[in-house]
Amino acid sequence: MKVRDVMSKDVQVARPGDPIQEVAARMAAGDFGFMPVADGDTLIGTITDRDITVRAVAAGAAPSAAVVEYITREPHTAHEDDDLKTVLDAMGSRQIRRLPVLDKNERLVGVVSLGDMSTRVKEKYAGEALEDISRTA
């Protein structure tokens, strides 16, 4: 099975100049805590609800501050034709719950999450990955 078989294709994307308050509101409305940040269809980073809380709000950022100031740059990614078990293993070893998915031209085409995989792959593999992701360092 390939990543393209389980990834979410209808993904909310933040733009570099989006205000952090707007991005946080979109996360709250959609009940998710992760967004790729893209300039056009080129991934430049990711932002999580935790990034907004810990990097932005805790540091006193204005609600109008640009999201690009608080993103994780050069995030780990998967490619749509990657083998799912390999990606699950990598997510577990790196303790990552969600990955942006790129096509062969390095364009953002989706997001794959542990949740996506847990409902579509062998329970054993998802459970192993969750155990790895959840372990304390």
Side-chain angles (χ1 to χ4, degrees):
M1 188 175 285
K2 302 292 183 184
V3 170
R4 78 170 67 79
D5 299 324
V6 299
M7 72 181 190
S8 298
K9 295 174 186 163
D10 184 25
V11 177
Q12 291 280 324
V13 176
R15 301 297 173 192
D18 289 350
I20 57 173
Q21 184 176 29
E22 176 189 308
V23 172
R26 288 171 54 201
M27 287 180 177
D31 193 28
F32 52 85
F34 170 91
M35 289 176 85
V37 180
D39 189 2
D41 59 3
T42 301
L43 179 72
I44 62 168
T46 61
I47 189 82
T48 65
D49 50 2
R50 188 173 194 284
D51 294 332
I52 292 170
T53 303
V54 174
R55 292 182 184 170
V57 175
S64 60
V67 74
V68 72
E69 296 178 41
Y70 305 99
I71 66 173
T72 297
R73 294 186 180 273
E74 300 181 25
H76 294 286
T77 60
H79 284 86
E80 62 184 346
D81 59 350
D82 286 346
D83 177 70
L84 205 52
K85 174 73 168 93
T86 303
V87 171
L88 249 178
D89 289 344
M91 289 172 76
S93 67
R94 294 180 180 139
Q95 294 186 294
I96 299 171
R97 286 179 164 74
R98 298 158 291 219
L99 289 174
V101 179
L102 307 176
D103 68 10
K104 65 183 177 186
N105 297 313
E106 301 298 309
R107 291 184 309 230
L108 180 66
V109 294
V111 168
V112 66
S113 71
L114 185 59
D116 293 332
M117 290 191 258
S118 68
T119 61
R120 296 181 179 107
V121 299
K122 289 184 180 178
E123 187 176 307
K124 173 185 178 230
Y125 297 144
E128 289 171 357
L130 180 59
E131 190 174 303
D132 289 343
I133 290 166
S134 300
R135 77 174 181 276
T136 55

